[in-house]
Amino acid sequence: MSHTPLKMTVEEYLTYDDGTDKRYELDSGVLVEMPPGTGNHEAIITFVLFQFILEKQRLGLTLEPRSNGVEVACGTQIRRPDVLVMTQQQAVSIEKKSAILRTAPPLIVEVVSPESVERDYAIKTLEYAAFGVNEYWIVDPLENKVTVCLLAGSIYHQTVFSGERRIVSQTFPQINLTAQQLLMPKF
């Protein structure tokens, strides 16, 4: 027996509570459960966040890295990126209300899991580009690569990093990270 997915508006999503601690995204008006990631998925998220915080502190940047608690409203989609880096103004704008950004953060990172391959590579690439996210990292432990997408006009130019190749970032131009370090984090 299959049931029709629950359709809702962005406004309904913002006040939705099913009495559980499940996490969701809103995809074209459909509530999509985001199951917990694997231990490796979570380790990658933690490592990326930690590296971004270290880089922010080292360079005295006003950027605010966050892991999967801040959502972005891309039109009718509400996405919950694994990691995002927002501006100080964006951080202030959500300080005392729902953590949903209505303007594009400078950087979003998604860690690919088996059920998110198409969503991370195809759907979110189009959504984040249309929303104006300048830099989008797709960290893919399934394929052992990191794809960095940099916005050029309305589309992304993509560069794939693997092994010991140093990742090149617009947001963190001096960051010293390789794909291997991100994919197999050591704390």
Side-chain angles (χ1 to χ4, degrees):
M1 174 176 131
S2 71
H3 57 83
T4 307
L6 183 60
K7 288 282 255 183
M8 61 176 52
T9 66
V10 170
E11 291 69 31
E12 289 169 329
Y13 172 80
L14 295 178
T15 58
Y16 181 72
D17 182 0
D18 64 0
T20 72
D21 59 359
K22 292 179 181 175
R23 301 180 101 154
Y24 298 95
E25 286 186 344
L26 189 65
D27 189 350
S28 299
V30 176
L31 201 60
V32 179
E33 184 180 350
M34 305 308 288
T38 63
N40 187 53
H41 188 271
E42 292 304 311
I44 292 170
I45 290 169
T46 303
F47 186 77
V48 169
L49 180 68
F50 182 67
Q51 295 302 318
F52 286 174
I53 290 170
L54 286 177
E55 195 66 4
K56 166 201 158 109
Q57 291 176 334
R58 186 176 77 83
L59 297 176
L61 303 173
T62 59
L63 298 170
E64 297 288 334
R66 295 291 197 305
S67 66
N68 61 29
V70 178
E71 299 176 340
V72 291
C74 308
T76 61
Q77 318 294 66
I78 305 273
R79 297 296 185 190
R80 184 186 291 261
D82 289 321
V83 176
L84 64 72
V85 177
M86 62 184 149
T87 65
Q88 205 167 32
Q89 295 87 341
Q90 287 173 316
V92 168
S93 78
I94 61 171
E95 210 168 89
K96 293 181 171 56
K97 60 182 188 179
S98 292
I100 299 175
L101 298 180
R102 297 185 182 279
T103 56
L107 172 60
I108 286 179
V109 178
E110 295 287 7
V111 179
V112 178
S113 49
E115 68 280 353
S116 75
V117 174
E118 184 181 350
R119 190 171 54 239
D120 291 340
Y121 277 104
I123 299 166
K124 289 184 180 179
T125 300
L126 293 172
E127 287 175 9
Y128 292 158
F131 191 48
V133 176
N134 285 327
E135 187 169 350
Y136 171 38
W137 291 19
I138 306 167
V139 180
D140 190 341
L142 309 174
E143 298 284 332
N144 286 313
K145 65 183 182 181
V146 177
T147 304
V148 174
C149 307
L150 297 175
L151 198 58
S154 61
I155 59 164
Y156 283 125
H157 286 286
Q158 300 185 3
T159 307
V160 176
F161 299 89
S162 59
E164 295 301 318
R165 186 167 172 213
R166 192 173 86 77
I167 294 168
V168 178
S169 168
Q170 254 178 11
T171 309
F172 296 107
Q174 296 179 33
I175 201 162
N176 191 11
L177 271 181
T178 66
Q180 177 86 18
Q181 287 173 304
L182 276 190
L183 294 162
M184 303 185 138
K186 303 225 179 339
F187 294 94

